[in-house]
Amino acid sequence: MTFNELLDRIDRTPRATVRGSGGRKYPYKDLLLAAVLVRIAMGKQLSRRIVLDGALSALYGRLQGELFPDGPSGPPDQPFRHLERSRSGRAVWSLEARGVTQAELARLVAGGADFGSVMRHVECALIDEQAFAELAGSPVARARLAQLLGRKLREAGAVAEELAKLETLMCLGSGDELVPAEPETPESPLLESAIEEHLVENWARSPFAQRGVAFHDRQVPIPTGIVDVLGWQPSERMWWVVELKRGRAADHVVGQLLRYTGWLRREYCRPREDVRGVILAREATHKLDYALSEVPHAELWTFDERLRISPAA
C-alpha cells in the first residue's frame, strides 16, 4: 500500500453512530488514528505494530473528552476493531491474531462474529510497512495525515481550540526538533508503554508513592508534547513529570523534559505550586548525568530488568 493509498482509505473512513449519541455520528476512528499519529510524532510508536495498551487508550480517552466533551465516551476497542474494514471494504490496517491462526481470525471477521469474540483474539493492528516508514521518517507525511484528520475532526464538530492543539502535536517534528526514537533491539525489548503500564499499576508500591507523590494522570497532551505520567505531591504542592525512556537516555532528553516542566510551571500551576521532572530510563549516559547536574528541579531515576524503580545514585 502506498502512502497516498493509506490517506485515501482514511479519508473514506466513515463516522460511526454510537450508543447514547441520539443518532449523531462521531469520528472516533479518526480520533484513534490521531492518537496513533501523535505517538509516532513523539517517537513513542517505534514499529508498525499498533498495540491497544494502556498508554494509547489513555491518550485516546483524553482526546475524546477534550475534542467532543458532549459526545458519548467509551474505550477505543471498537474503532480499533473497525479500522480493519470500512464502508468501501478497504482496511486502514490489518489485525494480527492471538491464540488462533490468521485464517481463523479472518473467518471470525468475515463471518460477522460479535465484537467481543473478535477482540479476544486480536494481538495488535498492523499498518502497512511502507506507509508506516513514511510516517515515522517524514515530517511532511505526518503533516499531510494531520491535515486530513484535522479536516475530518473539524467537520464533525470538534472543539476548535482543542483541535488546534492536537494538530500541533500531530505535526511535531514538522518544524520543531524531534527527539530521535530509540531503535528496537534485543538488548532493550521492553516498550515504553509496558514500563508505563507497570509503573501506573504498581504506583502505590513505588518510590514515588513513598515520597508522598500520588498518581494524577497519564498521557497528558500539552502544547509542547505528551507527558507520560503526571504525579502530585500535596505536602510540597509539587507536580511531578515523569518522562519514560526504555533504553539509554541521552542528554537531549533534558530539553524534552524541560519543555514539559516549563509549560506546566507557566501555564498550569496555581500560585505557590511548583514542578519537578524525572527522567526514568534503563540507564543514562555520562552526558545526561552532567546535564542534569545543572538542573535543580530535575533528576534521573532508573529501572532494572525486573522493572524495579529507584532514584539514580
Side-chain angles (χ1 to χ4, degrees), residues 131-278:
F132 178 80
E134 285 208 50
L135 285 172
S138 170
V140 174
R142 291 194 293 275
R144 289 182 64 193
L145 179 52
Q147 183 179 32
L148 170 60
L149 293 172
R151 173 178 59 78
K152 295 187 72 180
L153 293 169
R154 189 174 298 107
E155 291 171 352
V159 175
E161 182 180 354
E162 298 301 331
L163 180 56
K165 296 177 185 177
L166 173 60
E167 288 175 316
T168 298
L169 291 176
M170 289 191 292
C171 289
L172 204 67
S174 301
D176 302 317
E177 181 184 358
L178 180 64
V179 175
E182 302 167 71
E184 294 182 346
T185 67
E187 291 75 26
S188 56
L190 282 173
L191 297 175
E192 287 174 15
S193 55
I195 302 164
E196 178 183 318
E197 199 72 25
H198 178 84
L199 173 60
V200 171
E201 290 180 357
N202 297 278
W203 187 275
R205 296 186 295 276
S206 74
F208 292 103
Q210 293 169 11
R211 289 196 183 187
V213 181
F215 171 76
H216 181 76
D217 211 342
R218 64 192 294 192
Q219 292 297 301
V220 182
I222 62 176
T224 54
I226 301 288
V227 175
D228 287 334
V229 178
L230 185 64
W232 169 244
Q233 187 179 19
S235 62
E236 302 294 326
R237 297 183 62 83
M238 181 81 71
W239 293 101
W240 285 64
V241 174
V242 182
E243 174 61 25
L244 296 166
K245 295 297 174 189
R246 69 193 183 100
R248 298 186 73 196
D251 57 340
H252 61 244
V253 180
V254 177
Q256 181 184 6
L257 180 68
L258 295 184
R259 287 199 298 271
Y260 302 164
T261 59
W263 185 88
L264 287 165
R265 185 174 286 106
R266 286 188 182 185
E267 309 294 340
Y268 187 80
C269 286
R270 292 165 292 191
R272 296 185 298 279
E273 292 182 352
D274 205 353
V275 185
R276 189 160 193 82
V278 170

Side-chain angles (χ1 to χ4, degrees), residues 28 32-33 35-36 39 45 48-61 74-83 93 95-96 98 115 119-120 122-126 191 193-194 197 218:
Y28 288 156
L32 179 57
L33 289 169
V36 171
R39 290 184 59 77
Q45 180 65 46
R48 69 190 190 104
R49 293 170 53 87
I50 311 299
V51 179
L52 189 57
D53 53 22
L56 179 57
S57 297
L59 178 57
Y60 170 84
D77 307 56
Q78 292 205 24
F80 187 91
R81 152 72 179 90
H82 291 300
L83 280 165
W93 58 37
L95 301 178
E96 187 168 82
R98 175 179 59 197
F115 174 77
M119 288 303 294
R120 270 196 301 274
V122 172
E123 177 69 27
C124 65
L126 295 176
L191 297 175
S193 55
E197 199 72 25
R218 64 192 294 192

Side-chain angles (χ1 to χ4, degrees), residues 23-66:
R24 180 181 172 185
K25 295 186 176 182
Y26 286 88
Y28 288 156
K29 290 189 283 293
D30 296 312
L31 197 61
L32 179 57
L33 289 169
V36 171
L37 181 56
V38 168
R39 290 184 59 77
I40 292 173
M42 291 292 299
K44 300 290 186 181
Q45 180 65 46
L46 303 176
S47 78
R48 69 190 190 104
R49 293 170 53 87
I50 311 299
V51 179
L52 189 57
D53 53 22
L56 179 57
S57 297
L59 178 57
Y60 170 84
R62 168 76 67 164
L63 296 178
Q64 184 186 66
E66 291 177 347

